[in-house]
Amino acid sequence: MGLFYNFSVALFSALGSFLFGDSGIIGSVVSQQFNHFQSYFGFPGPNIVGAIVSTFAGGCFFGAAAAGWLASHIGRKRTIQLGALVAMLGCALQAGARNVSYLIVGRLIAGWAIGCLSMVVPLYQSEISPPHMRGFLTGLTQFMISIGFLVANWIGYGAQFIQGQAQWRVPLGVQIVPALMLFLGMFVLPFSPRWLVDQGRIDEARVVVQRLHGNNTNKEFIELEFAEMLEQIRYEKENYSTRFSDLWSTPPMLRRTLTGMGIQICTQFTGINVSSYFQPTLYAALGLSGHKILMITGINGALGAITTIIFIFFFLDRIGRKPPLVVGAVGMAVSLAVEAAINAKWGGVDSHNTAAQTAGVAFIIIFSALFFSTSFGPVSWVYQSEIFPMRIRAQGTAVCTCANWACNVLISQVAPIGMARISWRFYILFVLTNLVNALVVLFFFPETKGKSLEEMDAVFGDQIIPHALETKKTHNIGEVDEKSEV
């Protein structure tokens, strides 16, 4: 079946990431444009709004942590299905909320599911992808997050015109649909071939690799790729443990863990989720009001999705991981610095400076739809999913995703308070963090472009087994044994 089948599997599994983006509907729901939500919940202040938003991220933290164990023991495929089931429950509770506490519980449960999916979906995609396309196929995670936010934004735009409680119950409940599709669709998608090898199901794994990567002209590549996968995993199982402490037991493993956590922490400190969750508030601070706020939010989401798919398809696997991260971080810092200046001189809810409003909207869009969508957005999910060895990959990816959500909780809780109290100065914080991000990537992150998952040991300095794709031989463990005897 080959490339088209591989792409289809990666894209459909990314429905889990679509749910992540679709959960962004909360930004519209808690905005002032949703007057029925505001009146039903007693016009919640910044602290309550922050709790509603950040509780979801807190649930995501625990979901990502649990997914590490689940993905190792029941498999990547079944973990995705479990996450989809729990997502349906959480979304149903939100749609049926009777008070703020009820809503927060629903957000917490849905967050657990999305945290689980945010960890396991890119892991699954990376393990089914050939080396030369892993950036594109795993980058579909961010593309579907963008599509999810796009759908959420336009649902939010349309729902603001609904009268009554359906104005906010329908947007929160519609998330059940993609969760159900994901749960049912995963029954026909394959297990991760690397997980199958790890479980001793070698023949099944070989069939999956052939279906995913095989065509009429690359028989030798399939044999070498499968041999490399098989030998590396067998050697790890025979010679290494799978303890959680292995994540920092050696300098190369510690480097993997720190860079994986680092890229997710840097992603959060770009400021993207201030834009994603509170975008209507940012536009209101420029003096915009009415229905156009949610319309602009929807346009931004559409541009972000388009930019992401162009970037991951044409550029990510060609130019690598590091260059777009550095350029993106600097670009976001400049965009936010200009945004701060515009808000400082011409901003405010009573502003009527059309030129300043247009420029302010433009730089918010440039920040997220251009620079974030061509850097940390897709690259963060690709990078954390490809750097760990099989024996500890699920646990390592879980730790990195937990770092993401821990920072998300912090930022989403303090963002509404910070924007309310220090207004445009809040942008300056993320100008500085983006500049720090660029330096961290430049000096500490290794390049991983074009390497198979098994070849990451060479990148991080702990290679033992010669790689079949390099030696062009299907048996390389013997060379290790011979060296050991000498």
Side-chain angles (χ1 to χ4, degrees), residues 123-301:
L123 174 63
Y124 176 76
Q125 291 170 322
S126 71
E127 291 188 348
I128 65 171
S129 302
H132 67 284
M133 290 189 65
R134 193 170 58 249
F136 169 53
L137 296 179
T138 309
L140 290 171
T141 290
Q142 182 62 34
F143 172 66
M144 290 301 283
I145 291 173
S146 300
I147 293 294
F149 272 110
L150 170 62
V151 171
N153 290 336
W154 284 107
I155 289 175
Y157 176 73
Q160 68 180 318
F161 300 107
I162 300 175
Q163 298 302 312
Q165 295 180 30
Q167 183 188 63
W168 58 274
R169 293 192 189 276
V170 169
L172 292 176
V174 76
Q175 302 167 87
I176 296 171
V177 176
L180 178 62
M181 292 173 59
L182 180 63
F183 172 74
L184 296 176
M186 286 302 298
F187 280 109
V188 299
L189 267 60
F191 288 94
S192 160
R194 289 174 168 86
W195 182 78
L196 289 172
V197 170
D198 190 59
Q199 300 299 304
R201 295 157 64 174
I202 308 302
D203 292 337
E204 291 179 65
R206 189 188 302 274
V207 171
V208 171
V209 171
Q210 180 62 45
R211 291 176 66 193
L212 289 169
H213 303 166
N215 57 45
N216 295 328
T217 62
N218 68 346
K219 182 178 179 181
E220 181 184 10
F221 169 79
I222 296 300
E223 291 179 355
L224 292 172
E225 182 189 34
F226 187 73
E228 180 171 290
M229 186 187 307
L230 186 64
E231 291 193 337
Q232 184 75 30
I233 294 173
R234 279 180 170 174
Y235 189 86
E236 288 179 14
K237 288 177 71 69
E238 292 173 0
N239 295 276
Y240 295 100
S241 70
T242 57
R243 294 189 301 268
F244 187 75
S245 60
D246 288 351
L247 289 173
W248 58 83
S249 60
T250 64
M253 284 302 302
L254 179 61
R255 188 185 183 197
R256 283 182 169 99
T257 304
L258 291 178
T259 52
M261 293 177 64
I263 196 167
Q264 290 293 359
I265 293 170
C266 288
T267 299
Q268 286 301 312
F269 278 94
T270 62
I272 187 59
N273 279 326
V274 178
S275 172
S276 299
Y277 294 151
F278 304 106
Q279 199 168 157
T281 303
L282 302 182
Y283 296 141
L286 291 166
L288 298 171
S289 61
H291 304 318
K292 68 171 63 175
I293 285 182
L294 295 184
M295 182 178 69
I296 295 171
T297 302
I299 293 171
N300 191 10

Side-chain angles (χ1 to χ4, degrees), residues 84-145:
L85 274 177
V86 177
M88 286 188 275
L89 172 62
C91 294
L93 289 173
Q94 290 179 74
R98 298 297 179 185
N99 52 53
V100 170
S101 298
Y102 200 138
L103 179 62
I104 286 177
V105 170
R107 296 277 296 164
L108 186 66
I109 293 174
W112 188 97
I114 302 306
C116 179
L117 292 169
S118 70
M119 173 267 168
V120 74
V121 168
L123 174 63
Y124 176 76
Q125 291 170 322
S126 71
E127 291 188 348
I128 65 171
S129 302
H132 67 284
M133 290 189 65
R134 193 170 58 249
F136 169 53
L137 296 179
T138 309
L140 290 171
T141 290
Q142 182 62 34
F143 172 66
M144 290 301 283
I145 291 173

Side-chain angles (χ1 to χ4, degrees), residues 361-377:
V361 169
F363 276 96
I364 290 174
I365 292 175
I366 290 170
F367 161 77
S368 58
L370 176 59
F371 287 115
F372 182 79
S373 296
T374 58
S375 60
F376 285 89

Side-chain angles (χ1 to χ4, degrees), residues 262-263 266 322 326 434-445:
I263 196 167
C266 288
K322 288 184 65 172
V326 174
N434 273 295
L435 292 176
V436 172
N437 286 350
L439 294 174
V440 168
V441 171
L442 185 62
F443 291 107
F444 297 106
F445 283 30

